Amino acid sequence: MGLTEYIAILRKRWLSIAAAVVVGLCVAALASVLATPTYQAVAQVYVSVRGGASVDDLVQGSAYTGRQVQSYAALATSPRVLSPVIEELGLGVTPQELASGVAVEQPPDTVLITLTVTDESPDRAARIADAVAESLATVVQELEQTGEAQESPVQISTVREAVVPTHPVSPRVALNLALGLALGLLVGVGAAVLRDLLDTRIRSVAQVEAITDASVIGAIAFEEDAVEHPLIIQGSPQGPRAEAFRRLRTNLQFLEAGGSSPTFVVSSALPGEGKSTTSINLAITLADMGSRVVVVDADLRRPSVSRYMGLEGAVGLTTVLIGRATIDDAVQTWGNRNLSVLASGQVPPNPSELLGSPAMAEVLRELERRYDAVIIDTAPLLPVTDGAVLAKLAGGAVIVVGAGLTHRHQLAEALDALAKAGTGAHGVIVNRLPLEEQGDYRYYGYGSEPSARPVDEVDGAHPRHVRSRLWPGPGRAASTTPPTGGTAASPMRPFRPVERETSVTVGAPATRSGSKDDG
């Protein structure tokens, strides 16, 4: 991972990192408040040799004390030194317990011994330090005495008496808070990086590009009202989703210009990634441009196109495939009459066999002859083989990836399923992207009209029923008002010349509302 990736993780997980820092500070503050204050008192003694008769005696005595001073420092925490201190001050502790609060230091190249006593009472700490210094001098005097009547040649004198401390040495609140801050930051950043490394869900276009060589031809933003208004004509026509579908429309034109078939099979790795609403919205934007488009609901297991578009779904693709109806009978017109819909029909017991039959190939050829673009919504690739079968007939598929839903290995397996079927992906559409992943272009409001009302507010139209003067239903005259996202006479070239007009529409839009995208 590079610096850019780490910065992206910090930006994405900043809230959890901040929470870890706050927890670290709170723990440090709580520990400081609950800790018992302790005080330190310091006493210092000087080790010397009593005066000699000559200079040589003084030199020898100084060398002797220099060698012995380390032994005296170790002797300061021995029971022989500390027991008299306990008895004198009435401490009620053992020599070992008292020794844990006494620190002895012998500065190099000196004959000084520093005694540091730590205790919860400042006064007791000072009294213990002085008492240890006096007891050490007495014990050394006893140990170094050469004869019964002679004095010890070594003398220990107190050169610094202990002073009662006024400020505790612990807890050190500032230091504890700094450590809590550093530890919280370390834990927060570490957890964020680890979580990102363990999270295999696809969350950005860059992650898709790292998995496949197929081009990312669309990046669709996620908006909070997308569930309530799955079709872009029901929301803001200048919103991020609407603009993203217009860019997707342009990219599909480049695919078609490169020799690709005008038939686009839209699938995904798993259900719930938004392939059905993506198919419908893509068809709407293509129809807005003036192209004659047909949406085919070829998800014969969980069909949803007719439900979203408010159309009758009992007669459709399966009815045509088994010969009980013609394409003319089954196709329904929707919206501005450039858009037609071939619903799924009744759910059959053998979807894969039906979609791979010669009859299905003949239906695709006929639809390609009649329309500029054929958008086929089919089943996900991983649960069933229907999508791969259709992709082989159409020469490839467009894969919809739900950001935050699809795992990397699942996308790789879906692409592998296409490869095993002898086909591939025309491109990938990343759906449900956070707005921050859309780039700075979302702030460019060219052409937006804040005062414009959504289509579902015109003439009191129901959000799920597009029966207005902008989008007339079957049998109603189209308005001269151009559809959302297009113009009355679009200067853009349709996908391909229309060879023949599509026939009569069957049925009227149903009155039931849409629901969550099943596919």
Side-chain angles (χ1 to χ4, degrees):
M1 295 179 63
L3 179 61
T4 304
E5 287 77 9
Y6 282 112
I7 294 176
I9 293 174
L10 296 181
R11 290 180 59 187
K12 182 171 62 176
R13 308 288 187 188
W14 70 269
L15 192 59
S16 60
I17 295 174
V21 170
V22 171
V23 170
L25 289 174
C26 291
V27 170
L30 183 62
S32 300
V33 171
L34 297 179
T36 302
T38 57
Y39 299 83
Q40 283 186 349
V42 179
Q44 196 170 57
V45 298
Y46 179 81
V47 182
S48 62
V49 177
R50 299 181 187 275
S54 63
V55 175
D56 291 338
D57 293 339
L58 293 175
V59 171
Q60 292 177 0
S62 177
Y64 175 77
T65 56
R67 292 192 300 271
Q68 290 294 101
V69 70
Q70 293 184 356
S71 299
Y72 301 151
L75 186 64
T77 55
S78 66
R80 184 164 181 175
V81 173
L82 298 181
S83 294
V85 174
I86 295 172
E87 184 178 353
E88 177 186 352
L89 301 179
L91 299 179
V93 296
T94 63
Q96 290 76 15
E97 292 173 343
L98 180 58
S100 64
V102 179
V104 182
E105 181 184 2
Q106 193 270 313
D109 301 326
T110 70
V111 289
L112 297 173
I113 298 177
T114 302
L115 304 171
T116 304
V117 177
T118 303
D119 195 85
E120 297 177 2
S121 170
D123 181 68
R124 187 167 58 234
R127 289 190 289 115
I128 292 175
D130 288 337
V132 171
E134 294 176 3
S135 180
L136 177 62
T138 301
V139 171
V140 171
Q141 177 76 19
E142 294 173 355
L143 294 177
E144 295 291 349
Q145 191 172 0
T146 57
E148 184 175 341
Q150 295 180 355
E151 291 183 336
S152 170
V154 178
Q155 180 178 2
I156 295 182
S157 306
T158 300
V159 294
R160 178 182 176 183
E161 292 184 351
V163 177
V164 178
T166 58
H167 300 286
V169 294
S170 109
R172 302 172 65 178
V173 178
L175 179 60
N176 290 346
L177 292 178
L179 291 176
L181 173 65
L183 183 60
L185 187 62
L186 180 63
V187 171
V189 173
V193 173
L194 182 61
R195 181 179 176 184
D196 191 78
L197 292 176
L198 296 179
D199 185 6
T200 61
R201 286 176 293 183
I202 296 174
R203 298 185 181 275
S204 67
V205 172
Q207 291 177 333
V208 174
E209 293 174 339
I211 297 173
T212 176
D213 293 332
S215 301
V216 177
I217 59 176
I220 313 301
F222 176 76
E223 294 178 331
E224 294 181 357
D225 64 342
V227 176
E228 290 77 15
H229 304 288
L231 305 187
I232 58 175
I233 63 167
Q234 296 168 342
S236 173
Q238 301 297 335
R241 291 180 69 229
E243 294 298 334
F245 277 109
R246 293 186 184 104
R247 284 188 294 272
L248 173 59
R249 174 184 66 190
T250 302
N251 290 338
L252 283 180
Q253 286 181 298
F254 282 110
L255 288 179
E256 197 269 340
S260 175
S261 167
T263 299
F264 297 97
V265 174
V266 181
S267 185
S268 60
L270 297 171
E273 298 188 61
K275 63 176 184 58
S276 296
T277 54
T278 299
S279 301
I280 298 170
N281 285 319
L282 174 58
I284 291 173
T285 56
L286 289 171
D288 287 348
M289 189 183 63
S291 300
R292 296 181 66 85
V293 186
V294 62
V295 180
V296 180
D297 191 351
D299 187 347
L300 303 185
R301 300 174 189 268
R302 295 176 61 182
S304 57
V305 171
S306 59
R307 182 173 70 250
Y308 281 116
M309 305 186 77
L311 298 174
E312 176 58 48
V315 177
L317 178 61
T318 56
T319 317
V320 174
L321 292 178
I322 63 177
R324 292 187 178 180
T326 65
I327 294 178
D328 295 335
D329 297 329
V331 168
Q332 304 175 62
T333 301
W334 189 91
N336 65 354
R337 294 189 177 275
N338 285 332
L339 179 58
S340 300
V341 180
L342 180 58
S344 62
Q346 295 184 354
V347 176
N350 56 342
S352 296
E353 291 75 10
L354 205 58
L355 293 175
S357 65
M360 183 66 199
E362 179 61 30
V363 168
L364 287 183
R365 286 194 294 268
E366 180 63 20
L367 292 177
E368 288 178 355
R369 189 178 68 84
R370 297 186 181 198
Y371 296 92
D372 302 326
V374 180
I375 308 297
I376 303 176
D377 176 44
T378 187
L381 292 167
L382 294 186
V384 293
T385 61
D386 303 9
V389 170
L390 275 177
K392 185 175 182 180
L393 286 178
V398 175
I399 307 300
V400 176
V401 176
L405 300 176
T406 310
H407 291 262
R408 299 169 194 171
H409 69 89
Q410 291 171 339
L411 174 58
E413 290 174 7
L415 295 171
D416 185 60
L418 291 177
K420 290 179 179 179
T423 184
H426 290 309
V428 178
I429 302 172
V430 185
N431 191 29
R432 299 173 59 91
L433 272 177
L435 286 178
E436 55 267 21
E437 295 289 345
Q438 292 292 297
D440 292 336
Y441 59 74
R442 69 181 185 276
Y443 299 110
Y444 191 64
Y446 181 81
S448 61
E449 298 179 7
S451 61
R453 292 181 296 163
V455 168
D456 58 346
E457 297 179 6
V458 178
D459 294 340
H462 191 280
R464 303 300 187 192
H465 310 147
V466 190
R467 287 175 172 268
S468 69
R469 52 190 172 87
L470 293 181
W471 293 86
R476 296 180 60 182
S479 170
T480 56
T481 305
T484 302
T487 59
S490 174
M492 301 181 67
R493 182 184 65 84
F495 266 46
R496 54 201 290 264
V498 180
E499 298 181 14
R500 174 183 166 186
E501 292 188 356
T502 309
S503 59
V504 65
T505 300
V506 175
T511 58
R512 56 188 173 182
S513 63
S515 60
K516 184 178 179 182
D517 186 0
D518 294 328

